[in-house]
Amino acid sequence: MVGEVISGRYELEELLGSGGMSSVFLARDRLLDRHVALKVLHARYSDDDEHVARFRREARTVARLSHPHIVTVIDRGVDEGRQFIVFEYVQGENLKELVRRSGPLPAQRAVALGLAVAEGLAFAHAQGLVHRDVKPQNILLNEEGEVKVTDFGIARSLDVDRGLTQAGTVLGTSEYISPEQASGGVVTPATDVYSLGVVLWELLTGVVPFSGDSFMAVALRHVNEQPPRLLDVRPDAPPRLAAAVDRALAKSPADRLPSMQAFAQELRLCLDDLDSEQTAVGMPLPPLA
């Protein structure tokens, strides 16, 4: 498809990634002479009403979310039977690539990234939407260091169930899936709190708390096993931060932080503490009397 022009406007230049449902291309918007990210539903799903509805719903979902830490939808359409969505192009890397490149992050850096994600997700929750697939691959970092949450493809409305995946169906990514998601239970904002807790755990340690040979093996570990305490893996982590991450990873949604907004507030306080410590370390000694 590289080289094709979609809808007479978007020239596909490079395949950026491909998943089970769609592919994402770097494209040039000929009309506005700028780069965009263009997501195309795989051709095998073009006649599948459920996949088409989910794809269209993603465009409508993200179009409602105007926030500095959420990728912006620019356009949506159909070209010769191919469903597509156009997003702002975020040039940089995702957080998975960042961790692979640099290993565990300094606590201050990890908290600042987590806070930006929490603020974006808290806004989405306030609009009645749960992401359901929070993972480092869906958190983009542009060249200016700004965080953008993307891929609301399996997001679920909190108040409208018609046409959406119901309890009993498991969607998500195994390494970051919440216990209730893994067991086909009810999805709430606490689901995203758990997944962001896993992301922070990975940013701070360089690894995920649970791994395995298959989706189901990892998902069952989220359901049945307690994750290692963050301080056991990252002993130099600030205790308050470690406590927040450990609480986010509680098996029961009721035992986690009460909302994504509360998680953001706790991360903000952790960051304030770290900033204060950094300032204190860098302060010159007072002059001798």
Side-chain angles (χ1 to χ4, degrees), residues 198-209:
V198 178
V199 170
L200 274 164
W201 209 95
E202 183 175 7
L203 294 181
L204 290 161
T205 67
V207 295
V208 291

Side-chain angles (χ1 to χ4, degrees), residues 26-40:
L26 173 65
R28 175 163 292 281
D29 181 347
R30 290 178 166 182
L31 181 62
L32 297 178
D33 190 25
R34 64 177 179 180
H35 277 114
V36 295
L38 191 142
K39 188 172 188 176
V40 183

Side-chain angles (χ1 to χ4, degrees), residues 39 55-67 70-74 85-88 123-124 127 129 131 149-155:
K39 188 172 188 176
F55 194 77
R56 290 175 173 172
R57 186 167 60 248
E58 178 182 2
R60 293 195 302 270
T61 294
V62 186
R64 293 164 51 188
L65 303 178
S66 178
H67 189 275
I70 296 177
V71 168
T72 302
V73 165
I74 297 170
I85 308 172
V86 184
F87 299 90
E88 66 171 308
F123 179 82
Q127 309 309 305
L129 295 165
H131 190 288
V149 179
T150 189
D151 203 348
F152 282 76
I154 63 170

Side-chain angles (χ1 to χ4, degrees), residues 108 269-283:
Q108 199 167 16
L269 293 172
C270 290
L271 188 59
D272 288 345
D273 289 346
L274 287 164
D275 288 342
S276 297
E277 290 174 13
Q278 188 68 27
T279 301
V281 169
M283 288 176 63

Side-chain angles (χ1 to χ4, degrees), residues 79-273:
D79 181 75
E80 297 183 355
R82 293 175 296 186
Q83 301 283 336
F84 69 89
I85 308 172
V86 184
F87 299 90
E88 66 171 308
Y89 173 57
V90 180
Q91 187 166 359
E93 62 184 347
N94 64 49
L95 294 194
K96 192 70 170 183
E97 294 167 335
L98 174 63
V99 172
R100 285 173 176 164
R101 177 172 59 80
S102 63
L105 303 183
Q108 199 167 16
R109 175 73 164 142
V111 175
L113 293 171
L115 173 57
V117 176
E119 289 175 341
L121 292 173
F123 179 82
H125 293 174
Q127 309 309 305
L129 295 165
V130 179
H131 190 288
R132 294 205 297 172
D133 198 19
V134 177
K135 58 184 177 182
Q137 296 92 324
N138 286 340
I139 301 167
L140 308 179
L141 196 60
N142 69 17
E143 293 178 322
E144 288 74 42
E146 298 169 331
V147 169
K148 300 277 188 175
V149 179
T150 189
D151 203 348
F152 282 76
I154 63 170
R156 180 172 183 178
S157 170
L158 294 173
D159 54 5
V160 180
D161 286 336
R162 292 189 303 274
L164 299 182
T165 303
Q166 302 299 312
T169 300
V170 178
L171 293 174
T173 303
S174 61
E175 288 86 354
Y176 308 93
I177 199 168
S178 69
E180 62 272 18
Q181 251 182 307
S183 57
V186 176
V187 170
T188 70
T191 297
D192 287 348
V193 169
Y194 183 94
S195 297
L196 180 55
V198 178
V199 170
L200 274 164
W201 209 95
E202 183 175 7
L203 294 181
L204 290 161
T205 67
V207 295
V208 291
F210 297 120
S211 59
D213 296 332
S214 68
F215 179 99
M216 190 55 64
V218 180
L220 287 175
R221 294 189 70 188
H222 281 284
V223 174
N224 298 317
E225 297 181 27
Q226 290 297 327
R229 292 176 63 251
L230 182 60
L231 284 175
D232 291 338
V233 184
R234 178 75 184 262
D236 67 331
R240 182 170 191 162
L241 172 61
V245 173
D246 288 344
R247 186 175 176 190
L249 294 179
K251 295 298 179 191
S252 171
D255 293 334
R256 297 172 202 156
L257 291 124
S259 67
M260 187 61 73
Q261 186 61 49
F263 200 178
Q265 179 62 25
E266 186 62 21
L267 291 175
R268 192 173 296 110
L269 293 172
C270 290
L271 188 59
D272 288 345
D273 289 346

